[in-house]
Amino acid sequence: MDERKSAEHFLDLIQKSRKGKFKLYIGMSAGVGKTFRMLQEAHTLLRNGIDVKIGYIETHARAETHAILNGLPIIPRRTLFYKGKELEELDLQAIINLRPEVVIVDELAHTNIEGSKNEKRWQDVKDILDAGINVISAVNIQHIESLHEDIKQITSISVQERIPDSIVAEADEVVNIDLTSEELIDRLKDGKIYEQSKIEAALNNFFKNEHILQLRELALKEVASQVQRKVETEVILDRNIKKERFLACISSNEKTAKNIIRKTARLANYYNSKWYVMYVQIPKENPDKIALDKQRYLINNFKLATELGAEIIKVKAKNTTKAIIKECEDRKITTVCIGKPHITLTKIILATDTFNALLNKLSKENIDLVILS
């Protein structure tokens, strides 16, 4: 067993060394200058003899961005016909065949046109990295999966194109492109972000000063957490420091489960920790008894958790508390995350003994309990 683990570990090191390096620019919104910065970097690399090519850039008809694109080698886009229209898409195979040292790929959260190899551009980037090609890419903070509900609460917009947190975590370098809210609003008013007809609507919706400040805070926190991750993985720290392991306990309640998953993902991401999502199937939720829509919600939530980097634990048990405690012991869990109970006073009284048993056991084992609102 030890020999097999040692061989697997060495194989993992080999595979990592063969992968391309990944640099990711993060911004609080469109217009902060992510694409411009990537193109500036491409020019610098080119002047230093690096074989850099543009895989996909979206200038959004911005004059300054379009101007700096001049002189950079561009890999032609792939043309597809979709619903009677001729559309252009990143040419994944051409990039892999040409094998540049560095490729610039914009719009990481983009959804590919039907007929593409992958559904999402971030999956294309993973394929490029796996081929040993270095990638520089960019994304706005509102496209990060675990922040979906926070973004919705701030802007009242449900962002449809999202990337899993695990992609951000894979980046070798994460850079925040930052502006003050005043600078960003000035750029918008000067027509440097959207065309004139869209400016007024943008100022009254997404680009409100209070929205920008909150998005800026999220972007700064995200990059700070990635720097912390890098410190923990690359700097030798005190080995006696407790390594966090999170267990998110979910039920078949769709909205509560999604909230628990996303918030635990944020915690695990911040602490650079392994985490699990646990679902206890009690007798009344056997497949032949549970409603089909609840089964579908569960499957979707398991998929979301996997995309965010969790390991799924599904167990059948009559006693949920005992099942949770067993997993805590087996997997050396340091923090259990549960949802805020939405139950009546009668149910609370009936559940008191069960909850106390969980609290007492977790307390004895020095395991933290987090109740997520």
Side-chain angles (χ1 to χ4, degrees):
M1 180 64 74
D2 288 342
E3 285 180 5
R4 183 174 65 80
K5 283 186 177 179
S6 177
E8 286 175 354
H9 175 65
F10 187 59
L11 179 61
D12 185 49
L13 289 174
I14 292 170
Q15 288 171 338
K16 281 180 181 176
S17 70
R18 288 175 178 170
K19 283 186 69 171
K21 297 296 182 184
F22 182 30
K23 183 172 185 175
L24 181 62
Y25 284 103
I26 290 180
M28 58 182 163
S29 76
V32 294
K34 301 180 304 300
T35 301
F36 190 83
R37 182 70 68 85
M38 285 196 295
L39 294 176
Q40 280 184 320
E41 186 167 354
H43 277 288
T44 302
L45 291 170
L46 200 60
R47 284 196 299 271
N48 284 276
I50 302 296
D51 177 20
V52 57
K53 288 184 169 55
I54 305 300
Y56 192 98
I57 279 289
E58 190 56 71
T59 65
H60 297 287
R62 293 168 191 154
E64 58 184 12
T65 307
H66 197 76
I68 200 172
L69 190 56
N70 291 331
L72 294 172
I74 299 171
I75 297 173
R77 298 178 184 182
R78 192 165 63 103
T79 302
L80 294 99
F81 287 90
Y82 181 66
K83 294 185 177 179
K85 292 182 180 179
E86 185 178 282
L87 302 171
E88 291 183 334
E89 194 61 271
L90 174 142
D91 195 333
L92 173 61
Q93 197 55 53
I95 292 170
I96 291 172
N97 290 343
L98 286 168
R99 298 191 65 79
E101 285 181 74
V102 180
V103 66
I104 309 292
V105 179
D106 206 356
E107 305 278 345
L108 187 62
H110 170 77
T111 301
N112 292 334
I113 301 163
E114 279 187 28
S116 302
K117 181 197 170 190
N118 296 313
E119 182 187 351
K120 299 283 188 176
R121 185 164 291 159
W122 62 262
Q123 294 170 318
D124 292 338
V125 165
K126 281 181 70 74
D127 287 348
I128 295 166
L129 291 168
D130 287 341
I133 301 166
N134 304 304
V135 176
I136 300 174
S137 190
V139 72
N140 287 326
I141 194 68
Q142 65 262 31
H143 296 290
I144 295 177
E145 178 62 60
S146 68
L147 290 172
H148 177 66
E149 291 302 321
D150 294 316
I151 299 296
K152 191 175 177 181
Q153 191 172 2
I154 293 167
T155 65
S156 300
I157 296 169
S158 180
V159 178
Q160 297 305 306
E161 292 189 320
R162 305 191 293 273
I163 65 169
D165 290 51
S166 56
I167 299 306
V168 183
E170 282 183 31
D172 299 281
E173 192 174 349
V174 180
V175 180
N176 182 43
I177 304 298
D178 189 37
L179 289 177
T180 65
S181 59
E182 291 80 10
E183 287 172 322
L184 185 62
I185 289 170
D186 285 345
R187 283 180 56 80
L188 178 65
K189 288 178 178 177
D190 291 342
K192 293 180 178 180
I193 300 176
Y194 297 134
E195 60 185 48
Q196 202 66 37
S197 62
K198 296 179 180 178
I199 293 174
E200 194 63 36
L203 284 169
N204 294 326
N205 292 287
F206 196 89
F207 283 81
K208 285 182 179 178
N209 185 62
E210 61 268 28
H211 292 174
I212 294 168
L213 285 172
Q214 291 175 85
L215 293 171
R216 187 184 184 197
E217 181 187 25
L218 287 178
L220 290 167
K221 281 182 177 178
E222 178 63 31
V223 174
S225 73
Q226 297 303 323
V227 172
Q228 179 67 26
R229 172 191 294 275
K230 201 168 180 66
V231 168
E232 290 186 358
T233 54
E234 295 185 11
V235 179
I236 298 171
L237 298 173
D238 185 349
R239 296 302 175 192
N240 293 322
I241 295 174
K242 182 174 74 170
K243 188 67 176 173
E244 298 290 341
R245 281 175 172 246
F246 292 88
L247 179 68
C249 301
I250 67 167
S251 68
S252 56
N253 182 303
E254 181 201 13
K255 289 185 178 177
T256 302
K258 261 187 184 171
N259 185 51
I260 293 168
I261 289 167
R262 285 194 173 113
K263 289 194 172 183
T264 308
R266 295 300 299 166
L267 286 168
N269 188 45
Y270 180 79
Y271 285 100
N272 188 26
S273 303
K274 191 170 181 63
W275 68 292
Y276 306 85
V277 167
M278 181 178 183
Y279 166 66
V280 181
Q281 186 189 95
I282 54 178
K284 70 176 183 180
E285 289 198 344
N286 285 338
D288 58 336
K289 294 179 181 178
I290 190 172
L292 285 174
D293 61 337
K294 283 194 172 185
Q295 289 187 42
R296 188 169 64 251
Y297 295 149
L298 268 172
I299 291 167
N300 289 339
N301 283 332
F302 290 150
K303 182 183 176 187
L304 171 65
T306 303
E307 286 180 351
L308 291 174
E311 184 177 321
I312 308 298
I313 305 168
K314 290 186 280 187
V315 297
K316 292 181 181 179
K318 290 180 181 179
N319 189 309
T320 304
T321 301
K322 286 183 179 178
I324 292 171
I325 290 167
K326 184 179 184 305
E327 290 302 326
C328 287
E329 291 172 345
D330 291 349
R331 298 176 190 268
K332 297 181 172 60
I333 299 298
T334 61
T335 305
V336 174
C337 299
I338 63 173
K340 184 179 177 181
H342 297 284
I343 50 180
T344 63
L345 182 61
T346 307
K347 286 185 178 178
I348 289 172
I349 293 167
L350 291 171
T352 300
D353 288 343
T354 303
F355 191 65
N356 281 343
L358 179 62
L359 277 177
N360 290 335
K361 183 62 179 177
L362 295 181
S363 178
K364 285 177 185 176
E365 298 296 328
N366 198 26
I367 298 171
D368 296 326
L369 178 67
V370 177
I371 300 177
L372 301 167
S373 60

